[in-house]
Amino acid sequence: TVDESELLTVPDGWKEPAFTREDNPKGLLEESSFATLFPKYREAYLKECWPLVQKALGEHYVNAALDLIEGSMTVTTTKKTFDPYAIIRARDLIKLLARSVPFEQAVRILQDDVACDIIKIGSLVRKRETFIKRRARLLGPKGSTLKALELLTNCYIMVQGNTVSALGPFSGLKEVRKVVLDTMKNIHPIYNIKTLMIKRELAKDPELRTQSWERFLPKFKRKNLKKRKEPKKKNTKKEYTPFPPPQPESQIDKELASGEYFLKERQKKRKQMEEIKAKQADALKKRQEERNKAFIPPKEKPIVKTKKASTEKKIDIEAIKEKVKNAKKKKLGALPEEEVKLKMAADEKKKKKK
């Protein structure tokens, strides 16, 4: 009994056997050909390397022709061609040479385990300035980003004009296309490079082959840009109604509603004079109040009463008497002459006794 997972996985180091003449001994029935144009600046290089191109294609029995007047390259099958896919590889070879890929790299397309992909990036960005900046981001400083991508995908990448040419294994080409398209969509290639580095380390572990790698891969959140500043004055549109607005009332309608329409001319004039006098009286009253404001005295601050220092203190008479006695005991100043003589005599007697 064998596990189904083992049958589905390709063993390490397995290669498909090469296509030989024994697989197709009678050759091809019809002649096939492909042609492609090349820019003027590639003419000098193609002249030099064309003998090598003819020699490489001659091993697969495919003819190659270079037309410098028309500016085109043509590849055709012969009667000896036994591999039907050789003409497709030859077509890819001349396409890569037209896209500035050197012959040493382009000739690898003739191998069975190598494929190519030409990604068109010119129409992905509208503005030319933005396109140039994002294309430079793909290259990186001194080509470091492109070199890191080549090492991780095992592909040769050539950025030229409005296209990106990639050459390598099928799995690597898939990753290169994803990175290039994301870069043109304003996603920095460093995020995809980090993911590829983690995938390469996980691929070394045989236990993780059948498991999902999503828990190991980093999830980068997209930062939202600053919201647009809202204007101070917003013009709000009114809700649409099919009915017209109501007709405004005329002066006669207002007089009919208040009853003034039925008054006589004298009564109307009298009423108008009364309204005018009432308005004048109100205006005079307000004017008088404003004038009287200047004569209103301001509010004075309340007077704070200061506390008088208490003069009444208890006098301790006994303490004063003791101070006087102590002062009398103390001898202030120099001694009188009689006391000085007596003291000197006493000192002399003491010296004699000794």
Side-chain angles (χ1 to χ4, degrees):
T1 58
V2 183
D3 293 337
E4 290 183 1
S5 61
E6 291 182 7
L7 294 172
L8 293 170
T9 55
V10 179
D12 294 332
W14 182 84
K15 282 186 178 181
E16 194 175 348
F19 194 86
T20 58
R21 186 171 284 281
E22 294 173 1
D23 298 323
N24 187 15
K26 293 182 179 180
L28 305 175
L29 295 172
E30 296 290 335
E31 184 183 290
S32 302
S33 65
F34 289 100
T36 185
L37 299 171
F38 60 86
K40 185 73 176 175
Y41 61 85
R42 291 291 289 169
E43 187 179 323
Y45 180 78
L46 290 172
K47 265 186 187 179
E48 290 178 5
C49 71
W50 197 249
L52 298 171
V53 174
Q54 286 177 327
K55 186 182 177 182
L57 292 174
E59 293 174 2
H60 297 270
Y61 304 101
V62 177
N63 288 336
L66 178 67
D67 190 351
L68 296 174
I69 297 165
E70 191 183 345
S72 66
M73 293 179 282
T74 311
V75 288
T76 53
T77 57
T78 60
K79 290 180 180 179
K80 292 182 180 181
T81 308
F82 60 88
D83 188 358
Y85 200 71
I87 189 65
I88 304 296
R89 292 204 187 99
R91 180 202 65 183
D92 292 341
L93 173 63
I94 59 174
K95 274 188 179 180
L96 291 169
L97 289 170
R99 295 311 311 150
S100 299
V101 177
F103 171 75
E104 292 78 9
Q105 293 292 339
V107 78
R108 287 171 54 208
I109 196 64
L110 299 174
Q111 299 172 15
D112 288 339
D113 57 344
V114 178
C116 73
D117 189 10
I118 296 171
I119 308 155
K120 293 179 181 179
I121 57 173
S123 60
L124 297 176
V125 184
R126 289 182 182 178
K127 291 183 180 179
R128 185 70 183 168
E129 292 175 1
T130 312
F131 168 73
I132 292 164
K133 283 180 182 178
R134 290 181 187 177
R135 189 179 63 181
R137 192 182 294 169
L138 184 65
L139 292 167
K142 296 180 182 178
S144 57
T145 307
L146 197 68
K147 188 68 180 174
L149 199 61
E150 286 180 350
L151 292 169
L152 289 167
T153 57
N154 296 323
C155 293
Y156 174 80
I157 305 164
M158 182 70 186
V159 181
Q160 175 68 23
N162 294 332
T163 58
V164 177
S165 305
L167 187 76
F170 292 97
S171 58
L173 293 175
K174 189 179 175 183
E175 297 293 342
V176 170
R177 179 170 273 274
K178 184 180 178 297
V179 173
V180 170
L181 293 177
D182 284 353
T183 306
M184 290 295 123
K185 291 176 186 174
N186 202 20
I187 299 168
H188 204 281
I190 195 68
Y191 299 124
N192 288 311
I193 286 168
K194 282 183 179 179
T195 308
L196 288 171
M197 288 172 73
I198 293 163
K199 280 182 179 178
R200 189 175 66 172
E201 294 299 320
L202 293 170
K204 294 176 183 178
D205 193 352
E207 294 179 1
L208 296 170
R209 280 188 178 182
T210 56
Q211 297 178 14
S212 178
W213 291 353
E214 284 190 9
R215 65 181 190 273
F216 300 110
L217 300 176
K219 293 176 182 177
F220 301 104
K221 291 181 180 179
R222 194 166 188 173
K223 291 180 181 179
N224 293 326
L225 297 171
K226 290 181 179 179
K227 291 181 180 179
R228 186 186 171 189
K229 290 182 180 179
E230 294 181 357
K232 291 181 179 179
K233 293 180 181 179
K234 291 183 179 179
N235 297 327
T236 53
K237 290 183 178 180
K238 294 178 182 178
E239 292 182 4
Y240 173 74
T241 53
F243 306 105
Q247 192 175 0
E249 291 183 348
S250 64
Q251 190 67 26
I252 296 166
D253 292 335
K254 290 176 182 177
E255 288 178 359
L256 285 168
S258 60
E260 292 179 15
Y261 186 77
F262 304 103
L263 296 174
K264 293 178 181 180
E265 285 293 326
R266 287 181 182 178
Q267 290 173 337
K268 284 181 183 179
K269 285 182 180 180
R270 193 184 299 143
K271 192 176 181 181
Q272 286 176 0
M273 289 299 292
E274 286 175 2
E275 287 176 358
I276 291 164
K277 284 179 180 180
K279 285 180 182 178
Q280 287 176 352
D282 290 337
L284 187 66
K285 191 179 179 181
K286 286 179 182 178
R287 207 180 299 121
Q288 198 67 33
E289 285 176 359
E290 287 178 0
R291 285 178 181 175
N292 292 336
K293 279 180 184 178
F295 300 104
I296 297 168
K299 290 182 180 179
E300 294 180 357
K301 292 179 182 179
I303 299 165
V304 181
K305 293 181 179 179
T306 53
K307 292 180 180 179
K308 292 181 181 180
S310 58
T311 52
E312 295 177 358
K313 288 182 181 179
K314 291 181 180 180
I315 299 165
D316 195 356
I317 296 165
E318 293 179 359
I320 292 166
K321 285 180 179 180
E322 286 181 3
K323 282 182 180 179
V324 171
K325 285 180 182 179
N326 292 330
K328 284 180 179 180
K329 287 178 182 178
K330 288 180 181 180
K331 293 178 181 180
L332 301 170
L335 295 170
E337 291 180 1
E338 294 176 358
E339 288 182 6
V340 171
K341 288 177 181 179
L342 291 169
K343 196 174 182 181
M344 288 175 70
D347 290 338
E348 286 175 0
K349 286 178 183 179
K350 285 179 182 179
K351 286 180 181 179
K352 286 179 181 179
K353 284 179 181 180
K354 287 178 181 179

